[in-house]
């Protein structure tokens, strides 16, 4: 939110008195302002916060052990003891959904972190050093020629199954998204006067990149991250649903849905609950990300609207 | 225009070459001996060695790479490890099935998507706009495999209106098409809305209004025509991804297409088949993009002379 304040000052600065301007700056920067003026985004943020909290505190807040079977109550509909019912093995669905969310968020955060770091490094270097531009960005184009799920499937075919490999696969999917954005931003910033000035006084490349270029890419990167995490969550769940990600009995939304259709006539909630949770958290991130984009970087609209092109589904 | 087409065709060759190279070398990373994996742990060392020789695995990697390229330009993608049939034969029928599904899905996504986006933009700020936006947001956020399950439960299990698996009749197309189209529909609707809102503010639209043209002509002819150029690019891109990304729709509804073939190949670690499918995906993506570019150049003369 901070980076938007200087811009609003320069816009209103000419007409408004300095102290009114400062007051406005304080207001725009506050969380309260964000909540009042971007209600949907705030709602999205709340959903996300709720899932993150529930995931982080899963051992504390979940009423049962997610793997504990209650043989007296298999396929139970939602009731006072099991708020969201139980599955075919009598495991508490609410607890499994909470642990499933913990798993989804863990996978997507780590994958986006790792993939983002590699992608940003790739894109920034390609944008800064002209000689690296063609080779690195062509490589990027190759990754972008495949839908995310196909890249993830291929990575699993090469690496084999398992949680670490799933995270690696999802991370690889994120790389080209970050590289493309970092590349574009670096190209734009590289020619600014302050970078030229830094070059003129003989600053080392490392300093120019670390002090003048990267800090100016932070706001769009944060927005990009909020909008890529739901895609990562979705891809991870899809992989588990296809039987190539997290495997049962581990609680994970995609894995929980895998065989849910066969119980659907007796217990439709088994099919509805994990899907609804997945949709809610993705919706939350999308709403929050859209709002954040409006606040942090309106110029990103164009970039970000091209994003969904191969992420997630 | 002729030289523009030529440029695009030549320009796509390096990317395709890079795809082939990456696909070849990525699979060199697999730990273990492919011949041993193929024959199982009981096979004697002698048999394994013979298999290695047969597959050319005893040669240096670079020699293998050159051999791979040589066979590739002759249209030889190798043989499936499990069925022992050529990869080209394995992929032929599934490619056709996926192609039909993708055609159905791109039509089902584009027309309603553009209509929805146009309504939202023209009636900006009204209830219609909000409804369209909410619908688009839900379409982007709903997990497609879950949507597929819910449809299957409702229309096949409960109501028994639609067949759940296979691709024999037109009715078989309905649910896989919706599954594959939903995300793109929502995406296209959002793109159309934002693109049209931008165009509507342009001077030439104001001019068209000022000279007294009916709103229908202003929007339908002057504004929409220009607003649809970026939307069209996305439609092309989505179609390219549909050819490769129908994995979920095909898996849930047992549609005998490339996505389903890819999953079974990944499950069996049938490397030549995976490589073949990846090359086919990349090839069709590049071709679709080329067609989009040509179409774009046709619609927007500025591109041709850049």
């Amino acid at each position: 939110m901070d980076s938007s304040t200087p811009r609003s000052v320069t816009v209103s600065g000419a007409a408004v008195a300095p102290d009114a301007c400062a007051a406005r700056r304080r207001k725009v920067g506050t969380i309260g302002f964000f909540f009042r003026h971007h209600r949907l985004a705030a709602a999205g943020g709340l959903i996300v916060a709720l899932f993150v909290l529930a995931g982080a505190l899963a051992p504390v807040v979940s009423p049962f052990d997610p793997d504990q079977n209650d043989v007296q109550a298999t396929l139970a509909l939602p009731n006072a003891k099991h708020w969201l019912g139980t599955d075919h093995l009598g495991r508490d669905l609410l607890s499994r959904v909470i642990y499933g969310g913990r798993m989804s968020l863990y996978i997507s955060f780590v994958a986006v972190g790792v993939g983002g770091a590699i992608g940003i490094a790739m894109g920034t270097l390609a944008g800064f050093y002209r000689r690296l531009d063609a080779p690195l960005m062509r490589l990027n184009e190759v990754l972008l020629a495949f839908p995310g799920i196909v890249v993830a499937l291929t990575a699993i075919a090469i690496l084999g199954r398992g949680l670490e490999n799933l995270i690696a696969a999802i991370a690889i999917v994120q790389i080209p998204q970050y590289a493309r954005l970092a590349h574009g931003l670096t190209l734009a910033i590289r020619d600014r006067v302050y970078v030229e000035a830094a070059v003129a006084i003989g600053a080392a490349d490392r300093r120019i990149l670390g002090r003048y270029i990267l800090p100016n890419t932070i706001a769009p990167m944060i927005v990009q991250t909020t909008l890529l995490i739901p895609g990562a969550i979705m891809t991870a769940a899809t992989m588990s649903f296809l039987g190539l990600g997290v495997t049962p009995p581990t609680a994970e939304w995609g894995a929980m849905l895998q065989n849910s259709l066969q119980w659907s006539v007796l217990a439709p909630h088994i099919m509805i609950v994990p899907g609804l949770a997945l949709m809610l958290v993705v919706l939350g991130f999308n709403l929050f990300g859209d709002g954040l984009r409006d606040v942090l970087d309106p110029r990103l609209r164009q970039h970000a609207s091209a994003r969904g092109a191969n992420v997630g589904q | 225009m002729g030289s523009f087409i030529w440029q695009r065709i030549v320009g796509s060759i390096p990317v395709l070459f890079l795809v082939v190279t990456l696909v070849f070398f990525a699979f060199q990373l697999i730990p273990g001996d492919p011949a041993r994996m193929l024959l199982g742990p009981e096979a004697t060392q002698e048999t394994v060695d013979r298999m290695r020789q047969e597959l050319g695995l005893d040669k240096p990697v670079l020699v293998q790479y050159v051999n791979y390229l040589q066979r590739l330009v002759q249209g030889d993608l190798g043989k499936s490890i499990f069925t022992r049939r050529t990869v080209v034969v394995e992929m032929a029928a599934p490619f056709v099935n996926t192609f039909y599904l993708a055609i159905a899905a791109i039509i089902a996504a584009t027309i309603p998507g553009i209509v929805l986006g146009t309504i939202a933009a023209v009636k900006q700020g009204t209830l219609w706009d909000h409804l369209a936006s909410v619908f688009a947001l839900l379409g982007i956020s709903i997990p497609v495999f879950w949507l597929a399950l819910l449809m299957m439960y409702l229309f096949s299990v409960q109501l028994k209106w639609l067949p759940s698996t296979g691709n024999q009749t037109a009715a078989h197309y309905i649910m896989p098409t919706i599954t594959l189209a939903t995300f793109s529909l929502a995406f296209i609707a959002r793109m159309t809305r934002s693109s049209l809102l931008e165009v509507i503010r342009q001077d030439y639209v104001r001019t068209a209004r000022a000279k007294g043209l009916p709103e229908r002509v202003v929007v339908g002819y002057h504004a929409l025509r220009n607003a649809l150029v970026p939307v069209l690019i996305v439609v092309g891109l989505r179609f390219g991804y549909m050819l490769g990304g129908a994995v979920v729709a095909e898996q849930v509804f047992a549609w005998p297409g490339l996505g389903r073939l890819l999953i079974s190949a990944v499950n069996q670690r049938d490397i030549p088949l995976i490589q073949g499918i990846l090359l086919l995906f990349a090839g069709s993506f590049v071709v679709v993009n080329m067609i989009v570019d040509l179409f774009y150049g046709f619609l927007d003369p500025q591109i041709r002379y850049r």
Side-chain angles (χ1 to χ4, degrees), chain B residues 53 115 128:
Chain B
Q53 211 167 9
V115 170
W128 291 109

Side-chain angles (χ1 to χ4, degrees), chain A residues 40 135 138-139 141-150 153-154 156-161 234 237-238 241-244 253-254 257-258 260-261 264-265 268 271-276 278-279 282-283 286-287 290 293 302 304-311 313, chain B residues 14-15 18-19 22-23 26-27 29-31 137-146 149-150 152-153 157-158 183 187 190-191 194 198 230 234 237-238 240-242 244-245 247-248 251-252 259 262-263 265-269 274 277-279 281-282 285-286:
Chain A
L40 278 177
R138 284 299 89 75
L139 194 70
E141 260 173 57
V142 171
L143 282 177
L144 284 171
F146 299 101
I149 188 78
V150 171
L153 280 171
T154 309
I156 291 297
I158 293 169
L159 301 169
R161 288 174 213 199
M234 199 87 98
T238 306
F241 175 74
L242 295 172
L244 291 161
W253 295 337
L257 285 167
Q258 204 181 352
S260 62
L261 193 69
S264 62
V265 179
M271 187 173 64
I272 291 167
V273 170
L276 207 59
L278 179 55
M279 180 161 157
V282 169
L283 189 70
N286 278 336
L287 285 172
D290 279 352
R293 181 178 57 198
Q302 229 28 52
S305 62
R307 108 204 124 90
N310 93 327
V311 197
Q313 336 210 339
Chain B
V15 173
L18 212 61
V19 169
L22 201 70
V23 164
F27 283 89
L29 298 174
I30 295 187
L137 199 64
L138 289 180
I140 283 176
S141 303
I142 194 168
V144 284
F145 61 90
W146 188 53
L149 284 181
L150 292 181
M152 213 171 184
Y153 172 68
V157 177
Q158 289 293 344
F183 183 81
F187 197 69
R190 286 183 106 178
M191 273 293 286
S194 64
E198 222 157 85
V234 169
L237 205 65
R238 292 302 313 171
Y241 282 140
M242 277 177 182
V247 177
V248 171
Q251 186 69 9
V252 175
L262 177 64
I263 291 180
V266 168
N267 271 321
Q268 298 171 319
R269 290 195 127 180
I274 300 175
I277 295 170
L278 287 177
L279 293 184
F281 281 172
F285 185 80
V286 166

Side-chain angles (χ1 to χ4, degrees), chain B residues 30-39 51-52 55 57 81 271:
Chain B
I30 295 187
D33 181 355
R36 172 60 76 183
M37 264 165 45
L38 206 59
L39 294 165
M51 182 60 110
R52 284 176 64 83
L55 294 171
L57 294 171
I81 290 175
I271 295 162

